Amino acid sequence: MTVQGWMLILVFVAVLLALAKPMGMWLHAVYAGNRTLLHPLLGPVERGFYRLAGVDPNAEQGWRRYAVHMLLFQLTTFLLTYAILRLQHVLPMNDRGLAAIGADGAFNTAVSFVANTNWQWYSGEVVLSNLSQMLGLAIHNFLSAATGIAIAFALFRGFARRQVSGIGNFWADMTRVTLYVLLPICLVYAIFLIASGVPQTFSSIVDATTLEGAKQSIVVGPVAGQEAIKMLGTNGGGFFNANSAHPFENPGALTNFVQMLSILLIGTGLTWTFGKAVGDQRQGWVILAAMLVIFLAGVGITYWQEAAGNPNLHALGVPGGNMEGKEVRFGIAASALFSVVTTAASCGAVNAMHDSFTALGGMIPLINMQLGEIVIGGVGAGIYGFLLFAILAVFVAGLMVGRSPEYVGKKIEAKEVKLAVLAIAVLPLCILGFTALSAVMPQGLAGPLNKGPHGFTEILYAFSSGTGNNGSAFAGLTSGTPWYNGLLGVAMWIGRFLVIVPVLAIAGSLAAKKYHPESTGSFPTTGVLWVSLLVGVILILGGLTFLPSLALGPIADHLGMIRGQLF
């Protein structure tokens, strides 16, 4: 580890904290339906959408109606994307004459992008046309991100409102988030990326002559526009197979730093928005503090392990840390930080190959996903996932000390606790169930490149990533098979929507409750004690649930490495 490496980490956190309030204020204006600086330009566009769709943005929806509209919208866009991929060979903007995607691959990809997972079993520059990249995939980078933020807004209203049935309007939330948040930022962001050297063109191939005089065809395309929303919307699906390790997606240190910031920008801002929505700004800062405790611990462990490297290589006289699978232009510190950032959020973009990390260095991204990616988390998904743990934590605290289980003025009762447990239990049931199945079936065992605990980790990582809607992978797994395409597609759908529906049910239940001001009988939900309790509940639940699988995978891999056994 180096001073420069730690300085990078500290500067990153400092800049992120500085941006939390400005981003949160902008998001709150959109949440509340207030007028913004962009309304003179985009207000007529917003109203035009409502007129075309026949939507009344002021019509409140109960949680069931909100959920039904959301699910129907996701199903419709899934079918549209599936059709585009299956018909790619006859659609325009296919200069290279690429074939249609097979049924299982199209199913997996369509689910992946609808669910904000962006898992990629394919090499984008080899398999997809420009039309498929833009209309089939990039459009979901906006829509799936907007969906996550809309669900977070609905839950905020559940806590903030008093004895009402409505939690907002799904169509209004989606439209406003897309128009006033995602599109404007991405426009500026894409221009920055273009200026930094990221391509943005409808051309498919550029022919070049190498220094040796050989001819080389280099794939290009509308990369910058997709890259911007890929990061800001915590989507992660790259235009190229190497993702953000590719110089056309991530040319240098500055773009790398900005990309990491953009992954966590909205998730960080939403903590401030939550505090503002419930009328107590301390609540937002406390949530952010708990998130940062876990985040910094993860960064520290990953950086320490990658800087230490492999002792078996040191014994052979190979100095330094672990540079396998990393770009020289980023180095160990920036690669370790990026890996934790992208898995703390549900992004999945990578600037280094996680399969090449040391066993414990690769375990931290795995744990981040298994915790539900609530450590700042994906856009919207991080904060509503974290609030599920907050509901459990305040209920447990009330039982332990005999205080009334209240959170930001709402009594937490059996209904909310059961729904929170249901939503949280989805991840371990799906991750561990599908991992176990794939670890014993011949079709599943055909996927891992490595044997032993490292091969098991490749399978475990895939289903943790898919169910957690992350999308990153241990690259040693051959996942483009009917077995993995099918199971991972199901896992991604379950991990997204079987969590969202209970969250909306909680929002509806809370919105109908009376407000109970904090009293001497209430458990305090600000301060160091509450932060400690939140962190403890999250780590204990995650540790008890996933520790056996981690012992079979990365922990066993690490112990084998110490003894000189490599997999």
Side-chain angles (χ1 to χ4, degrees):
M1 294 187 286
T2 65
V3 173
Q4 293 92 334
W6 283 113
M7 285 298 297
L8 170 67
I9 294 167
L10 293 176
V11 169
F12 172 79
V13 174
V15 174
L16 186 66
L17 288 174
L19 294 173
K21 183 175 180 179
M23 189 71 242
M25 293 173 64
W26 188 267
L27 287 165
H28 184 266
V30 176
Y31 156 82
N34 297 335
R35 188 174 179 83
T36 69
L37 294 174
L38 295 176
H39 269 74
L41 177 64
L42 297 177
V45 179
E46 179 190 359
R47 293 189 293 272
F49 281 138
Y50 296 147
R51 283 195 296 270
L52 286 173
V55 170
D56 179 4
N58 298 314
E60 288 288 326
Q61 296 174 331
W63 79 265
R64 291 180 181 84
R65 189 172 180 82
Y66 199 104
V68 168
H69 283 220
M70 180 273 300
L71 289 171
L72 288 175
F73 178 70
Q74 308 304 320
L75 179 60
T76 302
T77 55
F78 159 76
L79 293 173
L80 174 63
T81 303
Y82 181 82
I84 291 171
L85 297 175
R86 294 288 285 147
L87 298 172
Q88 175 177 262
H89 61 299
V90 298
L91 292 174
M93 298 182 69
N94 185 9
D95 300 345
R96 291 171 285 156
L98 298 173
I101 310 298
D104 61 290
F107 165 76
N108 180 280
T109 302
V111 172
S112 175
F113 280 77
V114 168
N116 197 239
T117 310
N118 296 37
W119 172 271
Q120 294 176 289
W121 55 269
Y122 56 86
S123 299
E125 66 268 42
V126 175
V127 174
L128 296 179
S129 68
N130 284 343
L131 183 71
S132 295
Q133 291 273 23
M134 292 189 298
L135 183 60
L137 304 186
I139 190 172
H140 284 297
N141 291 354
F142 286 94
L143 298 180
S144 62
T147 298
I149 299 172
I151 302 305
F153 283 178
L155 184 58
F156 292 177
R157 295 187 187 105
F159 282 107
R161 291 183 173 180
R162 319 286 189 243
Q163 295 179 283
V164 298
S165 60
I167 57 171
N169 185 293
F170 172 72
W171 303 110
D173 287 340
M174 284 284 294
T175 303
R176 289 167 182 164
V177 167
T178 304
L179 275 181
Y180 299 113
V181 179
L182 300 179
L183 277 172
I185 296 177
C186 284
L187 179 61
V188 177
Y189 194 176
I191 293 172
F192 161 76
L193 291 174
I194 293 168
S196 301
V198 178
Q200 180 69 18
T201 175
F202 287 138
S203 299
S204 296
I205 292 178
V206 172
D207 292 322
T209 301
T210 68
L211 293 176
E212 294 83 7
K215 299 294 183 181
Q216 182 179 3
S217 295
I218 302 173
V219 176
V220 292
V223 183
Q226 185 166 328
E227 188 72 16
I229 188 58
K230 156 194 165 181
M231 295 301 188
L232 182 69
T234 62
N235 299 286
F239 192 96
F240 300 98
N241 184 44
N243 206 277
S244 287
H246 197 292
F248 280 178
E249 290 198 28
N250 193 3
L254 178 59
T255 57
N256 191 66
F257 189 85
V258 172
Q259 286 185 12
M260 289 190 293
L261 280 177
S262 62
I263 291 172
L264 297 183
L265 178 63
I266 292 178
T268 304
L270 281 169
T271 61
W272 193 96
T273 305
F274 174 72
K276 180 70 172 178
V278 299
D280 185 354
Q281 204 58 65
R282 296 174 301 170
Q283 299 292 343
W285 291 121
V286 162
I287 288 175
L288 182 56
M291 290 176 171
L292 286 176
V293 167
I294 303 174
F295 174 76
L296 289 172
V299 172
I301 293 172
T302 303
Y303 184 28
W304 163 51
Q305 282 296 298
E306 295 308 300
N310 189 327
N312 297 288
L313 295 179
H314 299 336
L316 297 174
V318 180
N322 176 30
M323 276 299 294
E324 181 187 349
K326 298 179 178 66
E327 291 295 303
V328 175
R329 67 184 190 276
F330 301 137
I332 292 175
S335 300
L337 177 59
F338 198 112
S339 72
V340 179
V341 167
T342 195
T343 51
S346 59
C347 184
V350 295
N351 75 344
M353 301 303 109
H354 295 179
D355 192 44
S356 296
F357 277 33
T358 60
L360 296 187
M363 184 179 71
I364 296 303
L366 181 59
I367 291 175
N368 282 341
M369 296 184 296
Q370 291 174 340
L371 293 178
E373 294 164 316
I374 58 171
V375 185
I376 299 178
V379 287
I383 186 71
Y384 68 64
F386 194 96
L387 289 172
L388 293 175
F389 281 97
I391 288 171
L392 290 186
V394 77
F395 186 77
V396 169
L399 292 177
M400 288 193 299
V401 300
R403 296 288 186 94
S404 176
E406 298 172 3
Y407 188 54
V408 294
K410 295 296 180 76
K411 282 191 176 294
I412 303 301
E413 297 175 303
K415 181 178 180 180
E416 292 79 37
V417 173
K418 289 176 182 177
L419 288 168
V421 169
L422 175 63
I424 291 172
V426 165
L427 266 68
L429 287 173
C430 193
I431 291 170
L432 297 177
F434 285 153
T435 297
L437 192 62
S438 297
V440 297
M441 296 295 291
Q443 301 94 321
L445 291 172
L449 177 65
N450 302 90
K451 303 301 180 183
H454 195 83
F456 176 78
T457 303
E458 290 172 351
I459 298 174
L460 178 64
Y461 194 104
F463 286 107
S464 300
S465 178
T467 309
N469 302 135
N470 184 268
S472 66
F474 260 34
L477 184 74
T478 302
S479 60
T481 63
W483 176 268
Y484 281 108
N485 278 339
L487 278 188
L488 283 167
V490 172
M492 289 183 283
W493 191 270
I494 290 174
R496 178 71 163 179
F497 299 109
L498 263 65
V499 173
I500 283 180
V501 172
V503 166
L504 290 175
I506 291 172
S509 177
L510 292 173
K513 291 176 180 284
K514 295 180 180 179
Y515 175 74
H516 294 271
E518 186 176 339
S519 66
T520 55
S522 303
F523 185 85
T525 55
T526 56
V528 176
L529 178 61
W530 177 238
V531 171
S532 302
L533 182 61
L534 281 172
V535 173
V537 166
I538 292 167
L539 294 181
I540 289 171
L541 282 177
L544 291 177
T545 304
F546 292 105
L547 182 59
S549 64
L550 295 174
L552 292 172
I555 295 175
D557 196 2
H558 177 75
L559 294 175
M561 180 186 71
I562 293 174
R563 297 179 59 188
Q565 185 179 11
L566 302 177
F567 301 96

